[in-house]
Every structure is written in C-alpha cells, then in structure tokens.
C-alpha cells in the first residue's frame, strides 16, 4: 500500500470498506484485491457491517495505540486499524465504549452518543439493510447513470460516474446475478483501451434476486472503483467474470 500505517496490504480491508482511504490508497488496494481471494472474501463478509465500521471509526481508543503484528480476531483487528485512523482524524463527538463493544459482538443495534456537554443521546436503531459507502456515493454523488440488462444472462447493471481530477469515480449497481462468481467491471475506452475498475465476489445466493429465500440476496450489489480515463474517453463498461464470461455491457 502507499501508506506506512498498514504492515501489509491485507490489513487495509476495513479501511477500504469504511471508504477512508485516499484515492491513491484505494486504487492500490483495489489492484491488490484483484488477485487476493483472502481479501475479497473478507471484504464480502464486511458487506453488512457498515454501521459497525462507522461506529468503530470514532472508537475512543488511545491515540497512540500501536497495531498488533498479528491480530487474533477480526474485532480486535478492526479496533486496531481504527485506532490508527482516529489518530489522524480525531472527532469532538465520540461513542461510548460500551455501545461500541455491544456492536462488535452483535448486540442490539443501538448507539449511545456522548455529546460535548457531557450528556448522552440514544441514536436510532440501525436499519435492517445499512447503506454502504458505495451505495451512498451511487445515490448522492454520481452525476451520470446509465443502465442496461443482458437479454441472455438476465443480469442488470447501472453504472454511475463522477468526474475526478485523477479520472472517473465509478459505482456499479448489480442485480439478478447468482454465484459463486468472481467478477470485474472493465472500462472500455473509445480507442479500445481497457482498464479494470474494480473486482468482487458473488456468493452463491447472489445479489438483487427478487423473492429470494435468502434475505440479503434481495438487495443489489453496490461496489465502487475508479479508472484513469476521463468520462468522455470511455465508450462503455463491461461486467464479466474473471474467467472471461460476459454478464452485461453498459454504455458510458
């Protein structure tokens, strides 16, 4: 990774899921993710933990707390990583330790917030399906969206794009896809150049499946990444499996 705060690229999964990596760090991690099954699986496990991660982002641990070289559990690893982030991004408002601990072990999704005047307020319960950073960007920051459905595979995709100084920030919404699969979003330039925007894994129950018996499968997948191409240089996007099977093409 480009930051010295992580001892290896494998330790940046939680920070990436939080969306707190800068553009260069996120791009470097996504390049690593494309060839790392371990990180891809862990990122998929964190897909429903955004409220927990958001809470941990403000976790009131010691500012100078060092990272463990080999954390024995995911919860301890998340706390360690967030302690480093907190050292860089301190906030005036913090969550009580008891509330954070309850979230870590899967307790009631209620957060008690300590206010600057010493009082406390009780936050609303977490939603059944929390909003991920990618989903938030898709609905609130993408200035252009184009959708398409493949007549053969039945897979539906909407690609949202946002102009950046470094290229194009991209969020994919994917529906009606079943796994297990490993997939990628490819940006195809008008000159034929191809760039991998992001990669992900699809569990066997899939994403965006109507009337699925698996509750999480009813929700679309939202995944984001970036390409160095400017938006006007992109001809279309392709969603394909890592072994080359085309799932759906989306015009730019």
């Amino acid at each position: 990774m480009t930051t010295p705060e992580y001892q290896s690229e494998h330790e940046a999964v939680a920070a990436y899921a939080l969306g707190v990596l800068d553009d260069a760090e996120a791009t470097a991690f996504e390049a690593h993710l494309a060839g790392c099954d371990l990180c891809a699986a862990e990122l998929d496990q964190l897909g429903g933990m955004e409220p927990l991660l958001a809470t941990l982002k403000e976790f009131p641990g010691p500012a100078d707390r060092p990272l463990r070289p080999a954390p024995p559990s995911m919860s301890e690893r998340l706390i360690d990583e967030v302690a480093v982030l907190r050292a860089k991004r301190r906030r005036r408002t913090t969550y009580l330790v008891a509330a954070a601990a309850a979230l870590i072990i899967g307790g009631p999704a209620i957060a008690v917030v300590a206010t600057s005047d010493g009082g406390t307020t009780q936050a609303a319960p977490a939603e059944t399906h929390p909003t991920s950073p990618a989903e938030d960007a898709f609905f609130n920051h993408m200035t252009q969206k184009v959708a398409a459905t493949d007549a053969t595979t039945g897979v539906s995709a909407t690609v949202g794009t946002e102009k950046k100084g470094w290229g194009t920030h991209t969020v994919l919404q994917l529906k009606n896809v079943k796994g297990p699969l490993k997939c990628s979003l490819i940006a195809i330039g008008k000159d034929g150049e191809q760039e991998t925007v992001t990669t992900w894994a699809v569990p066997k129950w899939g994403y965006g499946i109507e009337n699925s018996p698996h509750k999480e499968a009813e929700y679309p997948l939202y995944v984001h990444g970036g390409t160095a191409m400017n938006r006007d240089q992109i001809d279309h996007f392709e969603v394909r499996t890592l072994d080359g099977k085309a799932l759906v093409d989306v015009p730019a």
Side-chain angles (χ1 to χ4, degrees), residues 132-165:
S132 68
E135 189 171 351
D136 175 72
F138 181 83
F139 288 107
N140 299 315
H141 301 290
M142 298 293 102
T143 56
Q144 180 175 325
K145 299 186 183 79
V146 181
T149 299
D150 188 277
T152 301
T153 66
V155 175
S156 296
T158 302
V159 176
T161 55
E162 177 187 21
K163 182 179 180 181
K164 292 287 188 178

Side-chain angles (χ1 to χ4, degrees), residues 4-137:
E5 295 169 352
Y6 298 101
Q7 297 178 19
S8 76
E9 293 169 315
H10 303 290
E11 296 182 358
V13 176
Y16 180 79
L18 273 170
V20 298
L21 297 180
D22 61 31
D23 293 334
E25 291 169 345
T27 299
F29 178 74
E30 287 161 0
H32 163 76
L33 186 66
C36 181
D37 293 344
L38 178 65
C39 285
E42 186 169 345
L43 187 62
D44 186 66
Q45 291 174 8
L46 295 176
M49 296 176 65
E50 287 81 8
L52 165 58
L53 294 174
T55 301
L56 288 174
K57 185 177 179 182
E58 304 294 341
F59 188 81
D64 57 351
R65 182 179 183 178
L67 284 175
R68 298 182 180 89
S73 70
M74 178 178 289
S75 63
E76 291 176 342
R77 173 178 173 177
L78 291 175
I79 293 173
D80 281 342
E81 291 181 11
V82 172
V84 173
L85 294 171
R86 181 178 175 275
K88 296 174 59 180
R89 304 174 177 89
R90 293 188 180 184
R91 303 289 194 268
R92 292 181 179 179
T93 302
T94 60
Y95 289 95
L96 294 178
V97 176
L103 284 170
I104 292 172
I105 62 176
I110 303 291
V112 179
V113 180
T115 61
S116 58
D117 61 0
T120 61
T121 59
Q122 180 170 293
E127 297 178 358
T128 302
H129 178 62
T131 300
S132 68
E135 189 171 351
D136 175 72

